[in-house]
């Protein structure tokens, strides 16, 4: 495979992983805002429903992001190790590093969000201003 083709494949994988990460992060953010506000489609949610949404909806979307994005990074590492050219290998490793850093960022942010929203639900608070 030529260097140009290899770089195109790497770039396509990277861009699709980043687009997927942005899309799933937006979907998770919407779910977190519903848990935070305690309202979904104009209906107030109970504590139990909010906690279940936090676990299954928000947690599920974050888990999907944490599962897919690093696997694309691993695929890029495999492509870089395949021995096409040094330029293509360097780019593959750089893209993989960015995807792994993105995964760590999402994991830390999700942990903080889950902890804070769970504490808020346990206290009986909603995202309303006093």
């Amino acid at each position: 495979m030529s260097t140009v083709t290899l770089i195109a494949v790497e770039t396509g994988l990277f861009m699709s992983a980043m687009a997927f990460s942005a899309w799933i992060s937006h979907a998770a953010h919407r779910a977190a805002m519903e848990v935070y506000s305690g309202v979904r489609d104009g209906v107030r949610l109970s504590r139990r429903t909010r906690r279940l949404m936090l676990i299954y909806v928000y947690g599920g979307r974050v888990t999907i992001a944490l599962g897919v994005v690093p696997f694309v990074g691993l695929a890029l590492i495999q492509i870089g190790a395949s021995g096409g050219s040094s330029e293509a290998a360097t780019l593959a490793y750089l893209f993989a590093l960015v995807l792994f850093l993105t995964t760590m960022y999402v994991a830390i942010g999700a942990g903080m969000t889950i902890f804070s929203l769970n504490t808020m639900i346990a206290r009986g608070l909603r995202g309303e201003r006093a």
Side-chain angles (χ1 to χ4, degrees):
M1 190 179 295
S2 72
T3 303
V4 174
T5 305
L6 199 55
I7 289 174
V9 168
E10 293 168 359
T11 304
L13 280 171
F14 175 72
M15 294 303 290
S16 63
M18 291 304 287
F20 175 77
S21 178
W23 174 77
I24 201 75
S25 294
H26 177 69
H29 175 74
R30 281 192 320 235
M33 288 298 99
E34 289 174 352
V35 171
Y36 175 75
S37 67
V39 177
R40 180 174 185 163
D41 296 331
V43 177
R44 292 186 61 100
L45 304 170
S46 67
R47 279 187 185 181
R48 179 183 168 121
T49 303
R50 291 170 72 198
R51 185 164 281 127
L52 289 173
M53 283 181 63
L54 180 62
I55 294 168
Y56 293 110
V57 179
Y58 179 78
R61 290 175 181 169
V62 168
T63 302
I64 289 170
L66 293 176
V68 171
V69 175
F71 281 123
V72 175
L74 289 174
L76 285 167
I77 288 176
Q78 288 297 99
I79 290 171
S82 68
S85 71
S86 63
E87 294 87 7
T90 302
L91 187 62
Y93 294 143
L94 179 65
F95 284 166
L97 175 66
V98 171
L99 291 177
F100 291 137
L101 291 175
T102 300
T103 301
M104 289 190 328
Y105 177 78
V106 169
I108 291 168
M112 291 174 18
T113 301
I114 289 171
F115 176 75
S116 64
L117 287 177
N118 189 42
T119 302
M120 192 175 85
I121 293 168
R123 291 182 181 158
L125 302 174
R126 296 185 187 268
E128 304 160 346
R129 302 249 174 186

